[in-house]
Amino acid sequence: MKQISKEYISGFEIIRLKEVESTNLYVRACLDKGLDLNHGTIVLAEKQILGKGMGDNTWDSEAGKNLNLSILLKPQSLPPEKQFVLNKAIALAVSDFVMTIIPDKEIRIKWPNDIYIEDKKVAGILISNTIKGNTLEDVIVGIGINVNQKNFPQNIPNPVSLRKFSKKKLNLNECLDSLCIFLRRRYEEIILGEIQMINSEYISRLYRLDEIHNFKSGDENFTARIIGVSEYGQLQLRTKYGDSLEFGFKEVEYVI
Ligand code: BTN
């Protein structure tokens, strides 16, 4: 773990690492050691040896081709029960960024916070929170964006990179600058209390919103329509029989 430089972009303090197990774990380890990392610190790695995905998944990313970063946030004004707002704001920021690079394709947020270009995943987000008393003490927001990678391992479901749609290889530093601008804007919306706007934009960008599709829950396959996402982040579906269902993460799968 060798830190090669430190800089600021849009008010975020950037720590660049050549190689690390996982940027999320690196931030966690710093906090556990009592290092005083500031709100808004971003740890960026050229290579992750054990990138973490949601649940038990891993995040595979070819060294030097993509953006792999974790942001430390200390959102003291956001009560723990409102933490899903942060997921929405981050997903919106990453999708804002993807939209500027690929303006002519449909960019969607696949619940809870994967970023899709048409039917392919271009970015994933992994958020872990530490709650102390009635405050979110620290939040580690891990973001992986496939930027210039051309080939992906067979076992990754539906991967794609920005490079597939951009006419040329993308400059990772320019991508980071742009992403940071959107992250700052969306975070400020939370601070300014623009929660209704975040909620409605998140819903309007949802992948497969209000369309009839197949889903899988346990051994059961069924057809339903996404009708929304609850305040606590549950996916809300309506079946063709008119039943309303709610699922937490990993309780339901999209059949794509
Ligand atoms: C997912 O889609 O399952 C979430 C993927 C999150 C990947 C990022 S890459 C930077 C950060 N460090 C990690 O170990 N994971 C996140």
Side-chain angles (χ1 to χ4, degrees):
M1 289 195 276
K2 191 166 156 248
Q3 183 180 324
I4 54 176
S5 68
K6 195 167 170 183
E7 69 200 85
Y8 288 85
I9 301 177
S10 293
F12 294 100
E13 184 176 318
I14 312 286
I15 298 175
R16 290 179 185 263
L17 304 175
K18 259 243 149 327
E19 187 177 304
V20 71
E21 192 180 14
S22 144
T23 54
N24 272 34
L25 295 181
Y26 180 88
V27 175
R28 184 75 265 154
C30 290
L31 295 173
D32 291 346
K33 276 187 218 149
L35 292 181
D36 192 19
L37 288 189
N38 293 323
H39 164 82
T41 300
I42 291 186
V43 174
L44 181 81
E46 279 182 29
K47 179 177 175 184
Q48 293 190 116
I49 297 161
L50 204 70
K52 302 271 174 209
M54 295 265 276
D56 296 329
N57 296 340
T58 55
W59 181 257
D60 290 303
S61 172
E62 212 178 311
K65 297 267 169 88
N66 304 312
L67 284 178
N68 295 312
L69 58 106
S70 298
I71 314 161
L72 173 65
L73 298 173
K74 301 182 182 180
Q76 269 131 13
S77 61
L78 191 70
E81 66 276 12
K82 295 256 162 41
Q83 56 187 271
F84 196 70
V85 172
L86 200 51
N87 281 254
K88 292 180 195 168
I90 301 292
L92 284 169
V94 179
S95 59
D96 291 337
F97 160 70
V98 173
M99 282 171 173
T100 62
I101 307 279
I102 318 289
D104 52 346
K105 294 276 173 207
E106 192 153 286
I107 313 302
R108 292 277 176 252
I109 300 168
K110 177 170 165 277
W111 172 85
N113 49 22
D114 288 344
I115 309 302
Y116 266 53
I117 303 178
E118 295 174 335
D119 286 314
K120 305 259 186 205
K121 176 166 169 172
V122 70
I125 298 166
L126 175 65
I127 302 185
S128 61
N129 300 319
T130 309
I131 297 169
K132 203 171 195 182
N134 199 29
T135 45
L136 277 172
E137 190 173 55
D138 52 61
V139 179
I140 302 171
V141 178
I143 302 175
I145 306 178
N146 299 326
V147 179
N148 286 317
Q149 185 165 341
K150 284 195 171 156
N151 301 305
F152 292 88
Q154 292 276 318
N155 59 327
I156 302 184
N158 318 313
V160 78
S161 67
L162 297 173
R163 178 72 184 89
K164 167 127 203 282
F165 302 98
S166 62
K167 306 281 179 280
K168 55 179 174 50
K169 186 174 165 213
L170 294 157
N171 178 308
L172 287 180
N173 285 326
E174 287 171 12
C175 288
L176 179 65
D177 288 353
S178 163
L179 176 67
C180 285
I181 291 171
F182 289 115
L183 287 166
R184 170 149 296 277
R185 269 191 211 156
R186 290 294 180 180
Y187 188 74
E188 278 170 6
E189 286 174 3
I190 298 182
I191 302 305
L192 295 171
E194 291 169 1
I195 310 299
Q196 281 311 325
M197 193 181 77
I198 293 174
N199 287 343
S200 64
E201 285 196 57
Y202 175 85
I203 293 296
S204 71
R205 283 191 200 173
L206 264 192
Y207 177 69
R208 294 190 166 175
L209 176 70
D210 221 5
E211 296 171 13
I212 295 174
H213 285 282
N214 295 324
F215 292 86
K216 192 169 179 234
S217 178
D219 292 334
E220 202 188 329
N221 285 287
F222 60 97
T223 304
R225 204 157 49 84
I226 297 176
I227 52 169
V229 174
S230 77
E231 200 186 334
Y232 302 104
Q234 313 275 106
L235 186 68
Q236 298 169 323
L237 301 178
R238 179 148 310 135
T239 68
K240 60 182 172 186
Y241 307 108
D243 298 325
S244 296
L245 307 171
E246 275 199 5
F247 294 95
F249 178 64
K250 287 281 176 197
E251 290 174 359
V252 67
E253 269 176 55
Y254 292 62
V255 179
I256 297 176

